[in-house]
Amino acid sequence: MKKTSPLLLIPLIALLGCDRPTEPEPTTADIRVVAAFTDRLGGVTVTCNPPGGTHPDPASACAALDTAGGDPERLVPLAVTCPDTHDPLWVAVEGSWGDTEFQLAWEFPNTCEARARSGGLVDLE
């Protein structure tokens, strides 16, 4: 009978005693979007895990942020065609994704462009 070296059993024994890897905790987010139009103000809030807030589709906004790694500047634009209307708005986005805080400002020619270019995060309609 062939003998097995005790040194070969140590990694196996260690593996048997290890806990299974746990799923990472879902990333929480708390985001405020404020928009200033030439004649009015608007805004929405988004929370993630669970999705909520005043955003018309918080689940999609959270999914877009998740795809971008929580970085609003890396949001993937939506594939939509917007009308060539001029109703400019200035948007401030501030909040947190996990432990990372952010604050930024954008300018858009209209609300459709704001929604499209922000991957749906800025949805004020």
Side-chain angles (χ1 to χ4, degrees):
M1 178 164 45
K2 186 176 179 185
K3 285 187 163 184
T4 304
S5 167
L7 292 176
L8 294 176
L9 293 176
I10 292 172
L12 181 59
I13 293 168
L15 285 175
L16 292 174
C18 290
D19 291 333
R20 289 186 176 166
T22 58
E23 291 292 318
E25 288 293 319
T27 303
T28 58
D30 181 24
I31 300 147
R32 289 158 304 286
V33 178
V34 178
F37 297 84
T38 54
D39 61 348
R40 65 194 182 284
L41 293 174
V44 295
T45 59
V46 180
T47 56
C48 299
N49 296 317
T54 61
H55 191 282
D57 189 358
S60 292
C62 292
L65 279 163
D66 191 45
T67 299
D71 183 351
E73 296 195 84
R74 293 181 49 218
L75 289 164
V76 177
L78 301 176
V80 298
T81 302
C82 292
D84 189 22
T85 58
H86 187 72
D87 186 14
L89 62 149
W90 297 265
V91 177
V93 178
E94 67 175 4
S96 62
W97 180 264
D99 294 334
T100 304
E101 293 187 6
F102 52 83
Q103 184 175 14
L104 46 110
W106 292 318
E107 183 178 348
F108 300 104
N110 56 53
T111 55
C112 180
E113 288 288 340
R115 183 176 174 279
R117 291 189 203 170
S118 71
L121 179 62
V122 180
D123 192 343
L124 304 164
E125 296 189 58

